[in-house]
Amino acid sequence: MKIAVDAMGGDFAPHAIVEGALLVSPELPEQVTVVLVGDQAAIQEVLGDRPLPGNIEIVHTSEVILMGEHPTKALAQKPNSSISVGFRLLKEQAIDVFCSAGNTGAMHVGALFSVKSVEGIMRPAIVGFAPQVSGQFAVLLDIGANADCKPEMLDQFGEIGSIYAKYTLGIPNPRVALINIGEEEQKGSLVVQAAYQLMKVNKKYNFVGNLEGKDFFTDKTDVIVCDGFTGNVILKMAESVYEILKSRGVNDEFLSHMNYEAIGGSPILGLNGNVMIAHGISSPLAIKNMILLAKRQVESEVYLKIKQALS
């Protein structure tokens, strides 16, 4: 298995990326290799006198897509960027998964142009993870790829989210809930009400109804479905709660699960391959945990399971 990571992506690249790879290296099985895609000299500078572990490789690239660049233009104008080369390797199946804390738009566009969407997927969705009071995590989608969603898209998010939770998180019959302003099926916007009607008759997953904000962390579901606008607001609010309480000296196990570093990465579901994005401010610990999550995703063959379900 080869897990490729964009060494030049993120606010603290390449330092955080290289250090994260070194951090995870001793924990990886013999058959797993981390491939750092980026400028070899910059990577070597971070390494200093430390030897490169045998399970880490470098693929040299000479260009970088910066955070503020236009995704489509940057991919076209910088074919030797770490993101462009990473997707080329993924398309050629030279790697099993491509991860980056860099330009999210470029990662999304690059994925759609290289490995493309699974046939039948309306829109790929970005997955987040919502900590639960039990210590487990619920899958949350979408968290930003699709600000506006049709009812049919929310229904499909329920299906692919359920497949992800089953095969990657090992939950036998994941419960799927729809974010809403009340538990009753007639509550909410017209889009959410229509989505509810589709989801309650869909036999491909275990729909348990609406989920109110007050129950977001209370183990009432395993998969939480919403549009990307709502999901992104919820995720960033949770991150801010963690930062505020941490700054006030609050120490709690549940609170620590709100830290973005706890999971490290967010898969993009609905693609013909494994793609994962990370927070732009990712630390070495976040990169380490993203690589471990990427390993689980490759092992689960979840994108193939989604492909089979929609064929």
Side-chain angles (χ1 to χ4, degrees):
M1 182 192 303
K2 291 200 170 186
I3 300 172
V5 185
D6 172 13
M8 313 310 290
D11 294 351
F12 307 116
H15 181 270
I17 316 303
V18 176
E19 294 296 344
L22 293 174
L23 202 59
V24 79
S25 171
E27 298 183 24
L28 296 175
E30 195 175 319
Q31 72 275 16
V32 178
T33 300
V34 175
V35 180
L36 295 175
V37 184
D39 184 270
Q40 184 151 4
I43 294 170
Q44 192 59 55
E45 188 176 341
V46 177
L47 286 170
D49 295 331
R50 294 174 293 180
L52 194 68
N55 59 356
I56 298 180
E57 300 175 357
I58 299 172
V59 171
H60 175 67
T61 62
S62 57
E63 296 174 308
V64 179
I65 293 177
L66 303 175
M67 289 294 201
E69 291 192 73
H70 187 280
T72 309
K73 288 181 181 177
L75 286 164
Q77 294 168 0
K78 295 182 174 180
N80 200 37
S81 66
S82 51
I83 290 180
S84 298
V85 172
F87 278 119
R88 190 153 64 241
L89 293 171
L90 188 64
K91 184 179 180 181
E92 294 168 356
Q93 298 184 334
I95 57 175
D96 297 289
V97 56
F98 181 48
C99 312
S100 177
N103 187 311
T104 301
M107 286 295 292
H108 207 260
V109 172
L112 293 175
F113 275 92
S114 57
V115 292
K116 299 182 170 53
S117 298
V118 168
E119 187 175 350
I121 286 286
M122 296 171 215
R123 293 277 183 86
I126 302 175
V127 173
F129 298 89
Q132 303 297 296
V133 291
S134 64
Q136 303 302 312
F137 287 90
V139 174
L140 172 66
L141 72 166
D142 180 31
I143 61 164
N146 307 283
D148 295 298
C149 290
K150 296 179 180 179
E152 295 80 7
M153 290 168 62
L154 294 174
D155 180 33
Q156 191 172 76
F157 290 169
E159 183 177 351
I160 64 176
S162 177
I163 293 170
Y164 182 86
K166 181 177 181 179
Y167 292 104
T168 302
L169 302 185
I171 302 169
N173 187 30
R175 298 162 296 168
V176 178
L178 178 66
I179 280 283
N180 207 337
I181 58 172
E183 293 183 0
E184 302 86 354
E185 63 179 271
Q186 68 270 19
K187 286 287 184 75
S189 66
L190 294 176
V191 170
V192 171
Q193 287 180 47
Y196 189 104
Q197 299 308 311
L198 296 173
M199 296 172 81
K200 76 174 185 178
V201 298
N202 193 331
K203 303 301 180 186
K204 294 180 180 178
Y205 57 87
N206 177 21
F207 182 57
V208 295
N210 287 328
L211 184 78
E212 294 184 84
K214 67 182 177 65
D215 294 319
F216 190 76
F217 303 111
T218 59
D219 289 290
K220 288 198 170 182
T221 187
D222 305 299
V223 179
I224 303 170
V225 173
C226 60
D227 61 78
F229 182 95
T230 303
N232 194 273
V233 169
I234 291 172
L235 192 73
K236 288 177 179 173
M237 182 186 67
E239 287 178 3
S240 73
V241 168
Y242 167 77
E243 292 295 339
I244 291 167
L245 293 181
K246 182 185 173 185
S247 71
R248 296 187 176 191
V250 178
N251 243 333
D252 182 84
E253 187 179 355
F254 171 74
L255 182 65
S256 69
H257 288 164
M258 283 188 175
N259 182 4
Y260 78 94
E261 294 174 313
I263 293 289
S266 294
I268 304 178
L269 289 191
L271 300 171
N272 278 303
N274 296 304
V275 178
M276 195 166 291
I277 58 176
H279 209 304
I281 61 168
S282 287
S283 65
L285 178 60
I287 297 300
K288 170 193 167 179
N289 286 332
M290 175 176 67
I291 291 170
L292 292 174
L293 180 64
K295 172 181 170 290
R296 288 172 66 185
Q297 183 163 329
V298 173
E299 289 170 340
S300 72
E301 298 186 329
V302 69
Y303 87 89
L304 294 175
K305 302 290 195 307
I306 290 171
K307 197 171 182 177
Q308 289 164 7
L310 296 182
S311 64

